[in-house]
Amino acid sequence: MARRWLRLLGVGAALAAMLGMAGPVAARDLIVALKTEPSSLDPQYHALTPNTQISHTLFDALVHADAKLQPRPALAESWTVDGNVWTFKLRPGVKFSDGTPLTAEDVVFTYDRIPKVPNSPSPFTLYLGAVEKAEAVDPMTVRITTKGPAPLLLINLAQLPILSKKAASGPAPEGKTTTQLNSGDGLVGTGPYKFVSWKRGAELVFERNEHYWGKKPDWDRVIYRPMSNAASRVAALLAGDVDLIEDPPTDDLPKLEQNKDLYIEKTPSVRVMYVAMDQHAEPTPGIPLDKNPLKDKRVRQALSLAINRDAIVERVMGGVALAAGNVLPYPMFGSSKEHAEAPKADPEKAKALLKEAGYPDGFSITLGAPSGRYVNDAKIAQAVASMWSRIGVKTSVEALAPSVFFKKRDGYEFSAYLAGWSVTSGEMSNPLTSLLMTRNPEVGEGTTNRGRYSNPEMDKLVREAAKTMDDDKRAKLLQQASNMAMDDYALLPLHFELSVWAMKKDIRYQGRPDQTTLVQYASLLK
Amino acid sequence: MLATIIRRLLQTLVVLLVMSALVFAGIYLVGDPVAMMASPEATDAQREAIRASLGLDKPLPVQYLTFLGQAVQGNFGNSFLTGEPAMRLIIERMPATVELATVAMSISVLVGVPLGIAAGLRPTALSSRAIMTGSVLGFSLPNFWVGLMLIMLFAVQLGWLPASGRGQTVSVLGVPLSVLTLDGWASLILPASTIALAKCAMIVRVTRAAARESLPMDYIKFARAKGLSEKRVLGVHLLKNILIPVVTVAGLEFGQVMAFAVVTETVFSWPGMGKLLIDSIINLDRPVVVAYLMLIVFFLVMLNLIVDIIYTVLDPRVRLEQRA
């Protein structure tokens, strides 16, 4: 009897040893804890980071935004521009995950489908604004005609993943519907991974696409789990349930960095946190004066000088941010050297400026802020408020649930508010157009300029840049325009967030400034 | 009995009507769903197009009447955020929550009732005091804290149990269940215990109070005088009589857990409907919020009805007709 048990034990031990040896050799699965679950798998349904970071793993676009957000060849191997006509040569030998080859027809089908997707909460037509038409010249050539000079065409096309015409065609006007794509029906792309299953709220499973044209993907399978609670994500990583998590809370970082079983990746992002000030209303809500003091540039400068950006970065953000002097970090496209450094705090000068402007005793103001939309948003607002109060501008913070905050902000109910902006295009025309151009939302200018800063000269420069194809010239125009706005203290940039990922120590993720988690850039250390 | 059930259902209709109107008005007052969902770079024309496609361009009363018209036909609208039918999103998530609530309440009753009787039998004994002090802790510790502590201890420090998710599920009649696999139980036990801790404390207190009330009664004395075993006195005579308050509380608490297990579900990333509700409220996804609350109201009313029916079984003196 005893001998039999011993033998069983021996077999078990041998088995365990075999399994143990097999472990490191066999490729692993990657389990990722996502902060936000995608609302849909249809790559043309909802233009929002949680969705695009998933679709960019299943699909490729004609061009791809690299780790510096610069356009690089992806499905298009090369391209030429002649006036308003762009000709793209497709990469030969690219196959969809079902084995069918990529042709120009797929590209045209994709762009045609975008405006037909019904009920989209944030349509991708945003990226097609400059495009007049797209045609297939031959199976490997796509011709895109733009409405005018379109220097941003490439970076916009990078946001549009290419579907398979064969797989995604259907009886509905848009072909396969969003619901069908959510179930995996028609969800066929050229990306490094392909769809396996999706249980909403529980897990999304991908596996390696054996037909992928690029380097063989590292992982057999990738499993995404939505975990909205940051503490739970950290706990799941510590418990070994997941391999990679997005956005661990800044308070936990020092502890996580000391943990030898983990690796932390920090990447400067293109998300700028800023304070906007009402430069239009007279009087302005939140300041109990007959006159709006924020219209005076000296007052805005004083408010900027009052803010100790380094202290916010160190104490509120736990070092997980970079103090900002502009809306886009230097040396990204169109940002200037003059405002590369964050302005130093100078409360004495700020007080003098206030006095000069006729407010020797300051005034009181309400600073609006969302609570829970950006990293430490309400805390940052509190810090700004105490710094402003120190120069005599008695500030009370109104921190609100994001939905309420945005409603009030869009109704111009704040004299000053804290918000964030992600410069997804990686170049200056994007924040200038949305945040600083004179409000003209019909043509998409100043859509989020709720401080209503208006400088016709700057507007002219930005409009000119939008038509300038020469990169150097355009960069100069944008530098000039952004200098103008910053010299005007049109808004006060505070800091750029660092995007943080935490992972097991044998994994590396190459962080991206657009804050997306693209599993194809996660690798296993050998 | 039939008349009572019908009357209850009619009352439910009124409640549903009032509640849906309140939610509609509430979300309208809170904010603009389009502002939450649309890209901040979108032009006004694009925003208006989104608004029109979601039916948000019409006046609120029109939107509400449209909703009612469709709801009568069983269509609760599509989620703004996902474009999927709202009811389907909820039903998909329901089994996970029902399972969690059922296991949590079973634990609380199975642990709480015996402890409550023990504490009621010898109120001054040290063990009883320990039970009562424990129940105060159970009440007062916040759910998310208990959950995180359990995760830190059992998942992170000891590594015995997973920190999140549902584990392996087995599909029974198309419904995925965790209770049928060992892995599923490993995932289930921490969130269920988190909820059970607070609920158990409640059950202990109710049971103890009821037991203390019943113990000096004549029928207990007679039962003892008849020489019945203590087991029979407590297990049959006492238990039967204290069950009514226990069933009431357990029933109500079950409904509470079902509807609002949000915190626990979030901490454990349990893919139930509580998390769906929170996400939908944050995003102002009105169709999902309305459908969810309607479903929950209906469910709670049904639960109360079932509790009432159980009364009549437990205590033949209770008649449904008199109570309604």
Side-chain angles (χ1 to χ4, degrees), chain A residues 82-416:
Chain A
D82 181 16
N84 295 343
V85 179
W86 296 65
T87 311
F88 293 88
K89 280 280 169 210
L90 295 187
R91 186 180 294 275
V94 173
K95 282 182 177 159
F96 284 100
S97 58
D98 61 357
T100 56
L102 168 84
T103 69
E105 289 296 333
D106 297 308
V107 179
V108 174
F109 167 83
T110 298
Y111 295 160
D112 280 350
R113 184 178 180 267
I114 287 172
K116 296 179 194 156
V117 177
N119 298 334
S120 164
S122 181
F124 280 80
T125 45
L126 194 66
Y127 302 110
L128 277 182
V131 175
E132 171 103 32
K133 60 180 175 187
E135 308 151 284
V137 180
D138 63 51
M140 295 311 278
T141 313
V142 180
R143 184 193 298 144
I144 293 179
T145 314
T146 58
K147 289 169 186 162
L152 294 183
L153 181 71
L154 291 176
I155 209 72
N156 280 335
L157 291 183
Q159 297 295 327
L160 302 173
I162 304 302
L163 293 149
S164 151
K165 181 179 183 182
K166 178 172 160 258
S169 291
E174 72 270 27
K176 287 277 156 66
T177 62
T178 298
T179 306
Q180 282 172 315
L181 289 168
N182 282 343
S183 68
D185 182 7
L187 202 65
V188 172
T190 56
Y193 292 91
K194 63 180 184 186
F195 175 81
V196 177
S197 68
W198 187 26
K199 270 184 262 166
R200 231 182 243 280
E203 60 177 19
L204 171 62
V205 184
F206 290 174
E207 67 184 11
R208 181 187 295 132
N209 171 12
E210 299 296 349
H211 295 288
Y212 185 54
W213 52 274
K215 179 180 147 276
K216 188 184 170 201
D218 270 32
W219 312 98
D220 282 346
R221 293 199 313 161
V222 175
I223 298 154
Y224 299 93
R225 293 225 203 113
M227 296 189 178
S228 49
N229 185 291
S232 307
R233 283 199 298 278
V234 171
L237 179 69
L238 289 174
D241 286 7
V242 300
D243 299 310
L244 170 68
I245 66 171
E246 295 183 312
D247 247 352
T250 52
D251 292 345
D252 287 352
L253 274 184
K255 201 183 70 205
L256 294 178
E257 279 174 328
Q258 281 168 16
N259 190 325
K260 288 195 183 62
D261 296 326
L262 302 179
Y263 178 78
I264 311 289
E265 166 81 14
K266 289 190 216 165
T267 308
S269 80
V270 288
R271 190 196 292 286
V272 60
M273 295 302 300
Y274 65 92
V275 173
M277 295 154 296
D278 183 2
Q279 292 153 64
H280 179 87
E282 191 79 81
T284 174
I287 299 181
L289 296 175
D290 299 337
K291 196 164 118 197
N292 179 353
L294 298 171
K295 283 185 155 179
D296 190 325
K297 189 176 131 187
R298 289 169 297 187
V299 174
R300 301 198 298 272
Q301 187 183 357
L303 292 178
S304 181
L305 286 171
I307 300 172
N308 186 343
R309 290 166 171 84
D310 293 330
I312 294 181
V313 167
E314 278 315 308
R315 286 182 224 137
V316 183
M317 295 298 291
V320 194
L322 296 173
N326 204 336
V327 284
L328 187 67
Y330 183 77
M332 291 189 83
F333 193 93
S335 60
S336 65
K337 221 174 187 157
E338 288 89 327
H339 293 279
E341 296 276 314
K344 291 272 164 282
D346 190 345
E348 290 315 311
K349 190 174 171 200
K351 275 184 208 158
L353 278 166
L354 277 183
K355 201 170 170 188
E356 197 186 313
Y359 304 98
D361 302 323
F363 49 89
S364 68
I365 188 172
T366 305
L367 174 66
S371 180
R373 175 82 175 200
Y374 311 103
V375 178
N376 299 337
D377 41 15
K379 283 193 224 164
I380 300 167
Q382 292 292 355
V384 170
S386 71
M387 291 167 183
W388 280 0
S389 298
R390 241 170 272 160
I391 61 159
V393 179
K394 293 165 277 304
T395 313
S396 56
V397 171
E398 193 176 351
L400 299 163
S403 49
V404 183
F405 168 79
F406 287 116
K407 184 181 183 176
K408 291 190 103 174
R409 183 195 71 177
D410 293 352
Y412 304 106
E413 290 181 47
F414 296 122
S415 291

